[in-house]
Amino acid sequence: MTTTALTPHPLVAGGARARSLVRVGEHFVGAGTFSLVAGPCAVETPEQLAAACEAAVAAGATMLRGDLYKHRTSPYSFQGLGSGGVAMVAEQRARFGLPWVAEVLDVQHLDVVADVVDVLRVGARNMQNFELLRACGQTGKPVMIKRGMSATVEEWLLAAEYVAHAGSLDIILCERGIRTFEPSTRNTLDLSAVVVAQERSHLPVIVDPSHGTGARSLVAPMALAAIAAGADGIMVDVHARPETALCDGPQALLPDEVGTLGARLRELAVWCGRQVEPTDLPDEELEPT
Amino acid sequence: MTTTALTPHPLVAGGARARSLVRVGEHFVGAGTFSLVAGPCAVETPEQLAAACEAAVAAGATMLRGDLYKHRTSPYSFQGLGSGGVAMVAEQRARFGLPWVAEVLDVQHLDVVADVVDVLRVGARNMQNFELLRACGQTGKPVMIKRGMSATVEEWLLAAEYVAHAGSLDIILCERGIRTFEPSTRNTLDLSAVVVAQERSHLPVIVDPSHGTGARSLVAPMALAAIAAGADGIMVDVHARPETALCDGPQALLPDEVGTLGARLRELAVWCGRQVEPTDLPDEELEPT
Amino acid sequence: MTTTALTPHPLVAGGARARSLVRVGEHFVGAGTFSLVAGPCAVETPEQLAAACEAAVAAGATMLRGDLYKHRTSPYSFQGLGSGGVAMVAEQRARFGLPWVAEVLDVQHLDVVADVVDVLRVGARNMQNFELLRACGQTGKPVMIKRGMSATVEEWLLAAEYVAHAGSLDIILCERGIRTFEPSTRNTLDLSAVVVAQERSHLPVIVDPSHGTGARSLVAPMALAAIAAGADGIMVDVHARPETALCDGPQALLPDEVGTLGARLRELAVWCGRQVEPTDLPDEELEPT
Amino acid sequence: MTTTALTPHPLVAGGARARSLVRVGEHFVGAGTFSLVAGPCAVETPEQLAAACEAAVAAGATMLRGDLYKHRTSPYSFQGLGSGGVAMVAEQRARFGLPWVAEVLDVQHLDVVADVVDVLRVGARNMQNFELLRACGQTGKPVMIKRGMSATVEEWLLAAEYVAHAGSLDIILCERGIRTFEPSTRNTLDLSAVVVAQERSHLPVIVDPSHGTGARSLVAPMALAAIAAGADGIMVDVHARPETALCDGPQALLPDEVGTLGARLRELAVWCGRQVEPTDLPDEELEPT
């Protein structure tokens, strides 16, 4: 295909090709759909995880999140429960029957999370950890790739190409803000990059306004903005008691906040022409060929 | 007021104070309203200006734009018609009875445009041209201040404070993208800055997705995103034959595109709870006191 | 000339053309020379100005600085003495017989400073205030153009082209740091831009490590680095009592510090092959034609 | 210690503590010394490697470089010879008796390079690959940490703290340019960060002007600038036929260029008070305790 041949990332390139749908459990992520990934930033305790998941599900989450491994700037910060949290995740995942999204920091984590994580997330700091991308691409599970904090859209798509090249096209991109001079937000959420990534690739693109702004009051406005811009879904942090969170409390939504936001997002997604109810398998699955 | 005393920009500070409405002719810009400023980037010819204004009005514009003076990076680029374009602006302004928004680059331009321009715009490159801000603030006309391409939100509000300090609180902020490392867009439109500016000041904030992205295909998605995020209005470039434009053709919407976008924006603004029809004077004007 | 024709800024373009020397009083700024501009950030009092100038001269300054108009982010900050400081400048300029460098913020300032300022400086925030650049270029005085805080080298050279186009090639570029995400310095001094600007234009380029770093302890290392990289000179802030300075005290060198630095810089400049003693007029002045 | 207690990175914190010397073979890197790391970007062929090493040694290199694993943005770019290049490295390392510096991308590479690499380099894209940092810190070999392309100095020091926390204080920091809006250089080399990192930690800091600028003509000026600013050493790419290089040819110095630069750097380092001849072990090794 001509378009493909001219791009530096032929496997994920867009153009005439139909935009892809990535199947996650019974759900699809991508063109014409709406995904809401919600849950705590990190798995902390059974109670904390349960409360956050209840709020997420009540808000209409299509996937749950909650990390076992945290990528922390300081070695003295909470690093996640690791294998110690697997049983807690397994419990909530079974309880609600929803797919689980969680970060892997290292190839060795792939085995630990194999039974409980449905979507492997590669974090912003690892966007160019190509060994990790390759290993994720070989698992057969969908891979979510967060944009690096100073990565161009082209570099982001090339990171996806590493996964594709390793064997999997079940890739979801996630915009989470870039680093600029502006100090009033933790990062600068770059929504035009969502549109550009959708133009230049066939991959679904979702947005994380929690990490993208770092501030609770900005999460809902930016989540709505992301859907209006055409994002295929939203991922948000939820915590019932954010003041006690071991990680990123100031950006976590409270249960009632995520409930209100979920309803608004679904309404807006319908207005934007998306199929919002959990989809059954389409007659013929769209996939890049 | 406590909030005011603690801010470095007491006259424009937000907090407990009601968000202000800026009156422009028969219209109001600010909380609860929706503004659409549309027209060509620059005034070129009577025919070009007429065609763009017709499209803008058909799209539901509440104000028209079209600059007489252009701020060009190169001295060899088209610099605008200057006083030679005043009659053309006067004609279209009278024809449609809508307020006109145009940039002033220098104190001397204030006299030239006095009879035809209703909102004085200070461009991104002049955001910290404090002599110009002061002079605009003394005219009694509303002043629109574009965010500098590497200005923090605090610096933007301090630029507004210069205008306020010079005597006028009729100030409209306009986000138009910041400079980052990302090359796929001309600038990176920073929508979270809109929300932050609204939290930290009582001023209306609109968004210019044309200059903010530099690419026609991104204008509509980012305009919708801006309204969903809470922006008080949108400003877009329109040109009937953008391939012949003397300035910024690649970002100008075609007449039918702006028509479609205008309708979508109004629908979305209604969904967001804004009063979209041209407002009559409210019984009691909200203003910061 | 081919090189010239291909550049967007033909009058200031480099290439085969000899790099220019800008005459300022009895001194020359440019290729093969070494300039040290020193003095207070702002003119405050006769005593403050005298003490700073004494230290600057003792340190080997070839030009003195001290601004009458300050470009302040806040309207509530000290804005400079304006015309009230002209007599103080005149006194020190006469006392030491050295050229004076000072910022002009507005076309109207050109008359006020006409008798006491030898080099008109256009600040970073005004780098694209093209009306001001044109007016400066028409005065016949040398013009120093600071790089805008988010200006590319090409935009900086185009700002110089505005001055050249207005009639003057006596232009000195000044790098003063760009805006990045790094919070440990006020700006990020971009020394590779000095080399690039010298490759792409025939203009002298000096460096301001005081504003470029914002921190006293970084001024000397970065000044030395700038000369080693090939900068044609250095501009530094000096204040005898920086803790009382009305503007930018934390970055001002103390008298003994500037003395030590001046001696080191001259030694390094000699090692770099520069003619460091105040030059007499060369037999035949190099100038771009 | 008070200083330590107040910093977020107590093991690498500076302050009253003496700056550390890192022993690499017979050489020391750190305060009062001068290091020159030179060689090809990547190991390609025996002939290419030999020619580059000869030039590096003739230029006075104190360590050699040449990577077996390359961190490439695209999966279709040359990824390095991997284990296939080990014998070539072993040959040149034995031939010249100098320590070898090379990048490791993954924990698995540590075994492959164990016998031939003396300093493990963690690349900019892996600066926050904390698993890799920990694993390197446990090897007992010196670890060189490149600054991430959008990492603050504090984040860079925290990456070093991960290595220190894993057991090793033999850490060398390497500034290699940050990502900004400026397109004329591949990155913006941030020399003030070198000084800040030396103030805030006891670690040696070297500079890579090859990757930091991406342009051959900028390497020598920026290398000299780095030493003048106080950097403890320089790392440069060398290639005898850069037009045929499989990686980063445009930034590689030619043999005669690196020879000239090496001599200039040593002269400048002496002028800066550094001990330039290969040092014997000092009577009493300075080390943080």
Side-chain angles (χ1 to χ4, degrees):
Chain A
M1 187 202 268
T2 317
T3 305
T4 298
L6 292 170
T7 82
H9 33 75
L11 298 176
V12 306
R17 182 185 297 191
R19 294 195 53 233
S20 60
L21 284 172
V22 174
R23 182 174 183 162
V24 182
E26 300 297 310
H27 302 272
F28 286 86
V29 181
T33 69
F34 167 74
S35 298
L36 177 61
V37 187
C41 183
V43 173
E44 301 174 11
T45 67
E47 296 71 28
Q48 169 257 7
L49 189 60
C53 290
E54 287 160 18
V57 171
T62 57
M63 292 184 254
L64 296 171
R65 66 159 289 157
D67 286 344
L68 296 167
Y69 298 96
K70 294 308 301 178
H71 217 168
R72 303 305 293 278
T73 303
S74 166
Y76 306 112
S77 297
F78 173 63
Q79 308 275 321
L81 298 181
S83 57
V86 166
M88 298 180 210
V89 169
E91 183 185 358
Q92 299 302 321
R93 181 167 166 269
R95 180 181 175 205
F96 295 110
L98 287 176
W100 202 273
V101 180
E103 182 160 2
V104 283
L105 300 181
D106 193 81
V107 174
Q108 303 164 37
H109 299 166
L110 293 175
D111 285 341
V112 178
V113 305
D115 291 338
V116 294
V117 172
D118 304 278
V119 178
L120 303 166
R121 203 175 72 241
V122 176
R125 292 176 184 78
N126 271 326
M127 192 201 85
Q128 294 190 313
N129 182 338
F130 301 122
E131 301 295 325
L132 181 60
L133 290 169
R134 281 196 195 98
C136 288
Q138 290 164 352
T139 61
K141 296 194 180 202
V143 181
M144 182 185 291
I145 306 175
K146 285 200 149 186
R147 182 183 181 191
M149 60 182 74
S150 69
T152 64
V153 172
E154 284 300 308
E155 290 169 341
W156 194 19
L157 297 181
L158 282 162
E161 188 78 8
Y162 267 94
V163 174
H165 197 245
S168 171
L169 277 168
D170 289 333
I171 302 166
I172 301 165
L173 300 173
C174 181
E175 158 68 22
R176 47 76 73 204
I178 56 172
R179 192 155 268 189
T180 71
F181 57 82
E182 173 61 55
S184 69
T185 44
R186 183 173 170 181
N187 296 284
T188 297
L189 199 63
D190 180 7
L191 294 183
S192 53
V194 172
V195 188
V196 173
Q198 289 175 335
E199 287 177 350
R200 297 191 184 173
S201 83
H202 57 80
L203 303 175
V205 186
I206 72 166
V207 172
D208 176 349
S210 301
H211 290 80
T213 66
R216 186 170 301 122
S217 69
L218 301 178
V219 172
M222 295 309 286
L224 292 162
I227 294 301
D232 298 302
I234 297 292
M235 179 161 68
V236 287
D237 287 5
V238 180
H239 204 291
R241 296 178 55 204
E243 68 284 4
T244 69
L246 296 178
C247 180
D248 292 339
Q251 75 198 25
L253 293 180
L254 292 164
D256 63 333
E257 291 172 330
V258 74
T260 305
L261 176 60
R264 291 285 285 167
L265 286 171
R266 279 196 306 279
E267 255 190 73
L268 181 59
V270 169
W271 182 78
C272 292
R274 319 288 176 78
Q275 187 169 353
V276 168
E277 292 304 316
T279 55
D280 293 313
L281 263 175
D283 294 345
E284 195 177 329
E285 185 175 344
L286 295 179
E287 59 179 358
T289 49
Chain B
M1 186 201 269
T2 317
T3 305
T4 298
L6 292 170
T7 81
H9 34 74
L11 298 176
V12 306
R17 182 185 296 190
R19 292 196 52 232
S20 60
L21 284 172
V22 173
R23 182 175 184 161
V24 182
E26 300 298 309
H27 303 273
F28 286 85
V29 181
T33 69
F34 167 73
S35 297
L36 177 60
V37 187
C41 183
V43 173
E44 300 174 11
T45 66
E47 295 73 28
Q48 168 257 6
L49 189 60
C53 290
E54 287 160 17
V57 170
T62 58
M63 292 185 255
L64 296 172
R65 66 159 288 158
D67 287 343
L68 297 166
Y69 297 96
K70 295 308 300 177
H71 216 167
R72 303 306 292 279
T73 302
S74 165
Y76 306 112
S77 297
F78 172 63
Q79 307 275 322
L81 297 182
S83 56
V86 167
M88 298 180 209
V89 169
E91 183 185 357
Q92 299 302 321
R93 181 169 167 268
R95 181 181 173 203
F96 294 110
L98 287 176
W100 202 273
V101 180
E103 182 161 1
V104 283
L105 300 181
D106 192 81
V107 175
Q108 303 165 39
H109 298 167
L110 293 175
D111 285 342
V112 178
V113 305
D115 291 338
V116 294
V117 172
D118 304 279
V119 178
L120 302 166
R121 204 176 71 243
V122 175
R125 291 175 184 79
N126 271 326
M127 192 201 86
Q128 294 190 314
N129 181 339
F130 300 122
E131 301 294 325
L132 180 60
L133 290 168
R134 281 196 196 98
C136 288
Q138 290 165 352
T139 61
K141 297 193 180 201
V143 181
M144 181 184 292
I145 306 176
K146 285 199 149 186
R147 182 182 181 193
M149 60 183 75
S150 68
T152 64
V153 172
E154 284 301 307
E155 290 169 341
W156 193 17
L157 297 181
L158 282 162
E161 188 79 7
Y162 268 94
V163 173
H165 197 245
S168 173
L169 277 169
D170 289 334
I171 302 168
I172 301 164
L173 299 173
C174 180
E175 158 67 22
R176 47 75 73 202
I178 57 173
R179 192 157 268 189
T180 72
F181 58 83
E182 173 60 56
S184 69
T185 45
R186 184 173 169 180
N187 296 284
T188 297
L189 199 63
D190 180 7
L191 294 183
S192 54
V194 172
V195 188
V196 173
Q198 289 175 335
E199 287 178 351
R200 298 192 184 172
S201 83
H202 57 80
L203 303 176
V205 186
I206 72 167
V207 171
D208 176 350
S210 301
H211 290 80
T213 66
R216 186 170 302 122
S217 70
L218 302 177
V219 172
M222 295 308 287
L224 292 162
I227 293 301
D232 297 302
I234 297 293
M235 179 161 68
V236 288
D237 288 5
V238 180
H239 203 291
R241 296 178 55 204
E243 70 284 4
T244 68
L246 296 178
C247 181
D248 291 339
Q251 74 197 27
L253 294 180
L254 292 164
D256 63 333
E257 291 172 329
V258 74
T260 304
L261 176 60
R264 291 283 286 166
L265 286 171
R266 278 195 307 277
E267 257 189 72
L268 181 59
V270 168
W271 182 78
C272 293
R274 319 288 177 77
Q275 188 171 352
V276 169
E277 290 307 314
T279 56
D280 292 313
L281 262 176
D283 293 346
E284 195 176 330
E285 185 175 344
L286 296 179
E287 61 180 357
T289 48
Chain C
M1 188 202 266
T2 317
T3 306
T4 298
L6 293 170
T7 82
H9 33 72
L11 298 176
V12 307
R17 182 186 295 189
R19 293 196 52 232
S20 60
L21 284 172
V22 174
R23 183 174 183 164
V24 182
E26 300 297 311
H27 301 273
F28 286 86
V29 181
T33 69
F34 167 72
S35 297
L36 178 60
V37 186
C41 183
V43 173
E44 301 174 11
T45 67
E47 295 71 28
Q48 169 257 7
L49 189 61
C53 289
E54 286 160 18
V57 170
T62 58
M63 292 185 255
L64 296 172
R65 68 159 287 156
D67 286 344
L68 296 166
Y69 297 96
K70 295 308 302 176
H71 216 168
R72 302 306 292 280
T73 302
S74 165
Y76 306 112
S77 297
F78 172 63
Q79 308 274 321
L81 297 183
S83 57
V86 167
M88 298 180 210
V89 170
E91 183 185 356
Q92 298 302 321
R93 179 167 168 269
R95 181 181 173 202
F96 294 109
L98 287 176
W100 203 273
V101 180
E103 182 161 1
V104 284
L105 300 181
D106 192 81
V107 174
Q108 302 163 39
H109 297 167
L110 293 175
D111 286 341
V112 178
V113 305
D115 291 338
V116 294
V117 172
D118 304 280
V119 177
L120 302 166
R121 205 176 71 241
V122 175
R125 291 176 184 77
N126 270 326
M127 191 201 86
Q128 294 190 313
N129 181 338
F130 301 123
E131 301 295 324
L132 181 60
L133 290 168
R134 280 196 195 99
C136 288
Q138 290 164 353
T139 61
K141 296 193 180 201
V143 181
M144 181 184 292
I145 306 175
K146 285 200 150 185
R147 183 183 180 191
M149 60 182 75
S150 69
T152 64
V153 172
E154 284 301 307
E155 291 170 340
W156 194 18
L157 297 181
L158 281 162
E161 188 79 8
Y162 267 94
V163 174
H165 196 246
S168 173
L169 277 169
D170 289 333
I171 302 167
I172 300 165
L173 299 173
C174 181
E175 158 67 24
R176 48 76 73 201
I178 57 173
R179 192 156 268 189
T180 71
F181 58 82
E182 173 60 54
S184 69
T185 44
R186 184 172 169 181
N187 295 285
T188 297
L189 199 63
D190 180 6
L191 294 183
S192 54
V194 172
V195 188
V196 173
Q198 289 175 335
E199 287 177 352
R200 298 191 184 173
S201 83
H202 57 79
L203 302 176
V205 186
I206 73 167
V207 171
D208 176 350
S210 301
H211 291 79
T213 66
R216 186 171 301 121
S217 70
L218 301 178
V219 172
M222 295 307 287
L224 291 162
I227 293 301
D232 297 302
I234 296 294
M235 180 160 68
V236 288
D237 286 6
V238 181
H239 203 291
R241 296 179 55 204
E243 69 284 4
T244 68
L246 296 178
C247 181
D248 292 339
Q251 73 196 26
L253 294 179
L254 292 165
D256 64 332
E257 291 172 330
V258 73
T260 304
L261 176 60
R264 292 283 285 167
L265 286 171
R266 279 196 306 279
E267 255 189 74
L268 181 59
V270 169
W271 183 78
C272 293
R274 318 289 176 77
Q275 188 169 352
V276 169
E277 293 303 323
T279 55
D280 293 313
L281 263 174
D283 294 346
E284 196 176 328
E285 186 175 342
L286 296 179
E287 60 178 358
T289 48
Chain D
M1 185 202 267
T2 317
T3 306
T4 298
L6 292 170
T7 81
H9 33 74
L11 299 175
V12 306
R17 182 184 296 190
R19 294 195 51 232
S20 61
L21 284 172
V22 174
R23 183 175 182 162
V24 183
E26 300 297 309
H27 301 273
F28 286 87
V29 182
T33 69
F34 167 74
S35 297
L36 177 60
V37 187
C41 183
V43 173
E44 302 174 11
T45 66
E47 297 71 28
Q48 169 257 5
L49 189 60
C53 289
E54 288 159 18
V57 171
T62 58
M63 291 184 254
L64 296 172
R65 67 159 288 157
D67 287 345
L68 296 166
Y69 297 96
K70 294 309 300 177
H71 216 168
R72 304 305 293 279
T73 302
S74 166
Y76 306 112
S77 297
F78 173 63
Q79 308 274 322
L81 298 182
S83 57
V86 166
M88 297 180 211
V89 169
E91 182 185 358
Q92 299 302 321
R93 181 167 167 270
R95 180 181 175 204
F96 295 110
L98 287 176
W100 202 273
V101 180
E103 183 161 1
V104 283
L105 300 181
D106 193 79
V107 174
Q108 303 165 39
H109 298 165
L110 293 174
D111 286 341
V112 179
V113 306
D115 291 337
V116 295
V117 172
D118 304 278
V119 178
L120 302 167
R121 204 176 71 241
V122 176
R125 290 176 184 79
N126 270 326
M127 192 201 86
Q128 294 190 314
N129 181 338
F130 301 123
E131 301 295 325
L132 181 60
L133 290 168
R134 280 195 195 98
C136 288
Q138 290 163 353
T139 61
K141 296 193 180 202
V143 181
M144 182 184 291
I145 306 175
K146 285 199 149 187
R147 182 182 181 192
M149 60 183 74
S150 69
T152 63
V153 172
E154 284 301 308
E155 291 169 340
W156 194 16
L157 297 181
L158 282 161
E161 189 79 7
Y162 267 93
V163 174
H165 197 246
S168 172
L169 277 169
D170 288 333
I171 303 166
I172 301 165
L173 300 173
C174 180
E175 157 68 23
R176 48 75 72 203
I178 57 172
R179 192 156 269 189
T180 72
F181 58 82
E182 173 61 55
S184 69
T185 45
R186 183 172 169 181
N187 295 285
T188 297
L189 198 64
D190 180 7
L191 294 183
S192 53
V194 172
V195 188
V196 173
Q198 290 175 334
E199 287 177 351
R200 298 192 184 172
S201 84
H202 58 79
L203 303 175
V205 186
I206 72 166
V207 172
D208 177 349
S210 301
H211 290 80
T213 66
R216 186 170 301 122
S217 69
L218 301 178
V219 172
M222 295 308 286
L224 292 162
I227 294 300
D232 297 302
I234 297 293
M235 181 161 67
V236 287
D237 287 5
V238 180
H239 203 292
R241 295 179 55 204
E243 69 284 5
T244 68
L246 296 178
C247 181
D248 291 340
Q251 74 197 25
L253 293 180
L254 292 164
D256 63 332
E257 291 172 330
V258 74
T260 304
L261 176 61
R264 292 284 286 167
L265 286 171
R266 280 196 305 278
E267 256 190 74
L268 181 60
V270 170
W271 182 78
C272 293
R274 320 288 176 76
Q275 188 170 350
V276 170
E277 292 303 317
T279 56
D280 293 313
L281 263 174
D283 293 347
E284 196 175 330
E285 185 174 342
L286 297 178
E287 60 179 358
T289 48

